[in-house]
Amino acid sequence: MLVITSVEDVTANLVIEVLNERQARVVRADPADIGAGLMFSAAIDDRGEWAGRLRTASRDIALAEVGAVYYRRPNPYSVRFAHLPAQQSTFATAEAQHGLGGILRTLHGATYVSHPAAINRADYKVAQLRTAARLGLSIPLSLITNDLEQARKFAAEHGPIIYKSFRGVPPSPEGRVAIWTQRVTSEDLDDSVSVTAHLFQQEVRKVADARVTVIGRRVFASRITTPDGALDWRSGDWEQLTHDPIDVPEPIRNALHAYLDHFGLMFGAFDFALEASGKWIFIECNPNGQWGWLPDSGAMAHALADLLLERWWS
C-alpha cells in the first residue's frame, strides 16, 4: 500500500492508522523528498515491462508489490529545489515531475484512490459546474470573466452576486492568507477585474450548508450551520459550527456517483448550499478534500481503508 502525501497530512494519518491496525504493509512517500530521503529506479525492457524499487528513509519496496495507491496531498516538487537559481530550479522540478511523477502515475496493476490525472481533471470549477448541471444538479448562475463590462452587467441583472476565488492564495513566508466567498456589487468592480480570471455567481439564499463525502459507493453527509449565518462557513471559528447528520435525497446521491464516474474518481468532497425550500444547490466538489475535521471522520477512515484493501486484494 503506497500513500503519497506530505508528512504534515493529518487526514492521511487517520487512514494509515486504520491500515496499520489491519496489518497492511504501508509505505508513505512524499515525492518532494526526492534525493537522499527518496531514492528510486525503474528499468523498462523492449516489451514495455518494467521493474524497480522505491526507497524512503524507513521503507524499501519493489514497485511491482504496490497494489493500491492512496494519492493525497504531496508537496510540490518545486519545494525540493527552491534553494536553486530560478532556471536550475525550474529544470530540476520538471525533470522530477516527469521522471519520478511518471513512475508514480503508472504503477502497473495498482488501483488509485484517486489517480492524480483524474484529480487534476476534476479540479477545475468550470468543469465541475458544467458536469453537475448536466447530471441534473442545481447550480448557481455563474460567470467566469476578466471583462469588467460583463461583470457589471451580470451584477446588475442577477444581483446580489458573490465572488469566490478558483484556487485561493498560495502560502507565503508570512503565512497563509484566505480569500473567503464575499458579496460584491457593481460599484465594487473596477479595472482590476481585467488582470485575471474571476468567478461571479448569483448568491444562493441558503439556510445552511451540506458537506457530502463520497468514498467509493458510501456516502457521508453533514448539515453545517453557522451561529451567525455566515456567507462562507469556513471564515469563522470552526469550533462554533453545528454539524448534524442529514439524509441525501436519492436523486442527488445518484448524481454524485455519476459525477465521480464521469471524472474517474474514487472520492469526492461535495459542498452544497441548502435553501429554506429544501432545495440542494451544488457549489463545488474537491476531488481530494479534507474530511478529518468532520464528526464521522473515524467511519470515513475505515471506509477509505476498506476501499484500498478491497482493491488491493481483488
Side-chain angles (χ1 to χ4, degrees):
M1 192 80 62
L2 178 61
V3 179
I4 302 177
T5 195
S6 66
V7 69
E8 302 88 1
D9 187 1
V10 295
T11 298
N13 291 347
L14 298 175
V15 179
I16 291 173
E17 288 175 7
V18 175
L19 291 171
N20 286 333
E21 290 172 3
R22 300 188 187 185
Q23 299 183 333
R25 187 183 180 195
V26 180
V27 178
R28 181 179 190 145
D30 185 352
D33 289 337
I34 185 173
L38 180 61
M39 304 291 286
F40 60 93
S41 64
I44 307 173
D45 64 22
D46 57 4
R47 294 173 298 171
E49 296 181 1
W50 62 306
R53 302 196 70 83
L54 181 73
R55 187 172 76 245
T56 70
S58 60
R59 297 286 191 273
D60 186 347
I61 61 165
L63 295 175
E65 294 176 354
V66 178
V69 179
Y70 182 28
Y71 190 92
R72 263 290 296 169
R73 294 190 173 184
N75 282 310
Y77 288 94
S78 57
V79 171
R80 172 67 178 84
F81 307 108
H83 64 288
L84 298 176
Q87 185 182 37
Q88 295 176 26
S89 176
T90 300
F91 174 78
T93 297
E95 293 298 290
Q97 182 175 349
H98 286 267
L100 175 57
I103 293 172
L104 296 178
R105 286 167 172 253
T106 54
L107 294 173
H108 180 69
T111 296
Y112 289 78
V113 181
S114 296
H115 195 284
I119 293 171
N120 182 260
R121 284 195 305 271
D123 211 20
Y124 290 84
K125 283 190 172 66
V126 178
Q128 293 179 17
L129 291 166
R130 290 191 54 152
T131 301
R134 290 178 175 181
L135 291 172
L137 296 172
S138 297
I139 67 168
L141 190 62
S142 305
L143 175 71
I144 300 94
T145 189
N146 76 329
D147 187 319
L148 175 59
E149 181 180 346
Q150 291 300 315
R152 284 179 169 167
K153 180 181 179 183
F154 184 78
E157 294 179 355
H158 304 292
I161 68 168
I162 58 97
Y163 161 79
K164 63 190 305 180
S165 66
F166 289 103
R167 298 295 299 165
V169 180
S172 69
E174 292 74 33
R176 291 184 176 274
V177 177
I179 298 179
W180 308 119
T181 301
Q182 54 194 282
R183 296 182 178 92
V184 294
T185 66
S186 295
E187 291 71 28
D188 296 322
L189 304 173
D190 57 30
D191 289 337
S192 63
V193 170
S194 66
V195 173
T196 189
H198 295 75
L199 171 61
F200 300 106
Q201 293 181 315
Q202 189 173 44
E203 182 179 342
V204 178
R205 297 298 191 182
K206 65 180 182 178
V207 294
D209 294 89
R211 166 59 68 91
V212 183
T213 307
V214 183
I215 301 171
R217 308 308 291 183
R218 299 180 66 180
V219 177
F220 302 85
S222 291
R223 178 188 173 104
I224 303 173
T225 308
T226 60
D228 57 356
L231 181 64
D232 190 331
W233 58 262
R234 301 169 302 170
S235 63
D237 182 356
W238 284 30
E239 296 296 326
Q240 298 300 314
L241 298 176
T242 300
H243 298 84
D244 296 297
I246 187 173
D247 290 328
V248 181
E250 185 174 357
I252 292 179
R253 280 176 172 258
N254 293 338
L256 298 188
H257 289 309
Y259 181 102
L260 295 186
D261 290 343
H262 171 81
F263 285 108
L265 296 169
M266 305 291 289
F267 170 98
F270 295 85
D271 287 320
F272 287 85
L274 304 179
E275 293 185 333
S277 65
K279 189 175 183 179
W280 291 53
I281 309 297
F282 173 93
I283 302 300
E284 64 183 353
C285 173
N286 189 328
N288 212 356
Q290 303 281 19
W291 47 266
W293 51 276
L294 290 164
D296 45 1
S297 60
M300 292 185 195
H302 279 274
L304 271 160
D306 288 341
L307 185 60
L308 288 162
L309 291 171
E310 171 192 339
R311 300 285 171 164
W312 190 22
W313 293 116
S314 61

